[in-house]
Amino acid sequence: GLFNQLFLLFALIHVQILAPALLFGSVPLTLMFASLMVSTFTIILGGIPAAIYERFVGARDDSTQVSLWIWLAGTAILTVPAIGNSLNIGL
């Protein structure tokens, strides 16, 4: 969330516009909330290929190990830009 500046900036601007009184007008709280939104969106978006796989295979009750690995791979692919940004900063 914090290292993906493009999505974080997008979420930060929209949170400040749509809900300015939600976090008492505090910029640090708004930044953390926007980071949480981007992180949650990354996890949800990474799970879409796994859900499509489960639908295709016909899994009913629990997630299979293959679908969990697909979810992990999808999330890892989405975090590649953030990993590059964190390496540039030196964390």
Side-chain angles (χ1 to χ4, degrees):
L2 284 175
F3 295 109
N4 198 343
Q5 283 100 10
L6 180 65
F7 292 133
L8 183 61
L9 182 63
F10 178 78
L12 180 65
I13 290 171
H14 283 84
V15 168
Q16 284 181 337
I17 291 172
L18 296 175
L22 178 68
L23 299 169
F24 308 109
S26 172
V27 175
L29 282 176
T30 308
L31 180 64
M32 288 298 162
F33 184 69
S35 175
L36 181 64
M37 286 176 46
V38 171
S39 299
T40 305
F41 179 70
T42 302
I43 297 293
I44 291 171
L45 198 61
I48 291 175
I52 292 171
Y53 170 77
E54 287 180 358
R55 180 75 169 186
F56 181 71
V57 170
R60 296 266 183 231
D61 293 330
D62 284 338
S63 296
T64 62
Q65 284 189 352
V66 175
S67 66
L68 294 174
W69 282 107
I70 292 172
W71 195 336
L72 180 66
T75 305
I77 290 170
L78 288 172
T79 58
V80 168
I83 292 170
N85 289 337
S86 67
L87 291 175
N88 287 339
I89 293 173
L91 293 176

